[in-house]
Amino acid sequence: MTTTTTAPMPQLAGATHRRIRVGDLSMHVAEAGRGRPVLLLHGSPQHWFEWRRVVPELAGDHRLHMPDLRGAGWSESPRHGFDVDSQLHDVLGLLDALGGEPPVLVTHDYSAFLGWRIAFDHPDRIAGLVALGSPHPWTRPTGAMLTQLWRVWFQPVLATPGVGAWSARTGKQRIVRYMLDWQRETFDEAEQEAFLAVWRDPEKARGLSAIYRRLILPGMAAMSRGAWDGRHLALPTRIVLAGEDPVLTEATLGPWRGTAADLRISTAEGSGHYIANDRPDAVADAVRELTRLID
């Protein structure tokens, strides 16, 4: 079974919406602005609406493409394809469909695993990378990180077949509410509802569980084993960390085990995990810095 959600689409001034067929997937893409292209990939448990506060910052001179990844938002949620290779294929197919000059790629949360794959293995497809709330690709777990593992107790729960989908969609959706309030209370009631509503659909909830089981937990394990060790990062890249993140800080990321042509790390003070919500200006500044380099 393949399904899209019946949840009401959030409204955003200046945004248009279309569907793009990418292989076996009908992908929903929200778009705004005009100018140099930027592709923004959301994290969990969000969808394209994650970028609502970034749009006014960049739409004056950038063309923003904001897709819902497989299983999320208003894209289809098929029974398969939630692993990193399949979702990478989705994003590369979307780039083919969009055409034009390579965009700056912005990632957050689990889409960082897709961003690093594209940056290392398909650097010709994008002009630069902005990774929000992501460790650098050569990071290993540190003692400080391990002491904070209890904060992500929801990840193995969501990854468990049956249990994960049930917990995401039923009752008061406490597990998803916890994720949205992670590190700080960021969203008002209407904003929370825009994200919660999608996961009440049984097939969408099943897809969310599969994302954790097939992509997020394996991606974290691969990074801890040194998947990118010895690799050179040729693209200009900016990592923006959250100032209120107790785990990922510029001081705790550890040594580089590879090389980079132009990788810089900054911290968005006053921001929790959802940097695009708390500090959209910091996201826009990172994108503009890269576009100035490219131009």
Side-chain angles (χ1 to χ4, degrees):
M1 180 179 181
T2 298
T3 184
T4 57
T5 183
T6 58
M9 179 78 74
Q11 299 301 304
L12 180 64
T16 60
H17 303 267
R18 61 171 165 154
R19 305 199 71 81
I20 296 177
R21 173 62 61 175
V22 180
D24 68 339
L25 183 71
S26 175
M27 181 175 283
H28 164 255
V29 183
E31 294 170 307
R34 60 179 62 250
R36 176 169 285 282
V38 181
L39 179 62
L40 301 107
L41 304 183
H42 63 81
S44 173
Q46 296 184 285
H47 43 66
W48 74 271
F49 200 55
E50 171 174 353
W51 309 111
R52 67 201 176 282
R53 295 188 180 179
V54 175
V55 168
E57 300 274 351
L58 288 174
D61 52 1
H62 292 77
R63 179 61 171 168
L64 307 179
H65 304 282
M66 302 167 282
D68 288 328
L69 295 172
R70 177 178 292 247
W74 287 262
S75 289
E76 288 182 335
S77 186
R79 283 284 178 177
H80 62 281
F82 293 98
D83 58 283
V84 67
D85 289 331
S86 297
Q87 297 229 37
L88 175 64
H89 183 267
D90 292 343
V91 176
L92 294 176
L94 176 61
L95 288 170
D96 289 338
L98 293 174
E101 60 185 323
V104 170
L105 177 63
V106 182
T107 66
H108 175 234
D109 194 75
Y110 79 91
S111 64
F113 295 122
L114 306 175
W116 294 124
R117 281 286 299 272
I118 294 171
F120 280 111
D121 298 340
H122 306 276
D124 58 313
R125 304 304 306 275
I126 58 175
L129 173 64
V130 176
L132 306 178
S134 171
H136 66 64
W138 308 289
T139 297
R140 294 285 199 282
T142 65
M145 293 179 186
L146 293 175
T147 63
Q148 300 292 327
L149 278 179
W150 64 272
R151 297 181 183 272
V152 293
W153 59 266
F154 56 86
Q155 292 185 347
V157 175
L158 283 171
T160 303
V163 173
W166 178 86
S167 65
R169 67 182 179 84
T170 59
K172 295 184 178 180
Q173 297 178 279
R174 288 187 175 88
I175 195 167
V176 183
R177 290 179 185 276
Y178 173 87
M179 294 162 67
L180 291 171
D181 285 337
W182 198 55
Q183 295 182 356
R184 60 182 288 171
E185 292 186 4
T186 294
F187 306 106
D188 63 29
E189 185 176 344
E191 290 170 331
Q192 278 208 354
E193 178 59 20
F195 298 118
L196 289 168
V198 172
W199 306 118
R200 295 189 189 116
D201 183 299
E203 289 300 313
K204 287 294 182 181
R206 183 200 56 77
L208 181 64
S209 178
I211 289 168
Y212 277 87
R213 186 166 60 254
R214 302 295 186 191
L215 194 159
I216 295 176
L217 293 185
M220 293 172 63
M223 182 173 281
S224 69
R225 292 193 299 267
W228 310 113
D229 282 12
R231 298 286 302 272
H232 178 69
L233 184 62
L235 283 168
T237 301
R238 299 293 180 265
I239 292 175
V240 182
L241 301 177
E244 296 185 18
D245 189 328
V247 182
L248 295 179
T249 70
E250 295 182 56
T252 63
L253 291 185
W256 293 12
R257 294 175 172 85
T259 58
D262 183 8
L263 169 60
R264 301 180 190 177
I265 302 172
S266 63
T267 299
E269 299 299 341
S271 171
H273 177 69
Y274 300 100
I275 299 172
N277 187 85
D278 296 336
R279 289 290 309 276
D281 60 308
V283 179
D285 287 347
V287 170
R288 291 189 186 282
E289 184 181 350
L290 291 187
T291 55
R292 284 194 296 269
L293 285 175
I294 295 162
D295 292 338

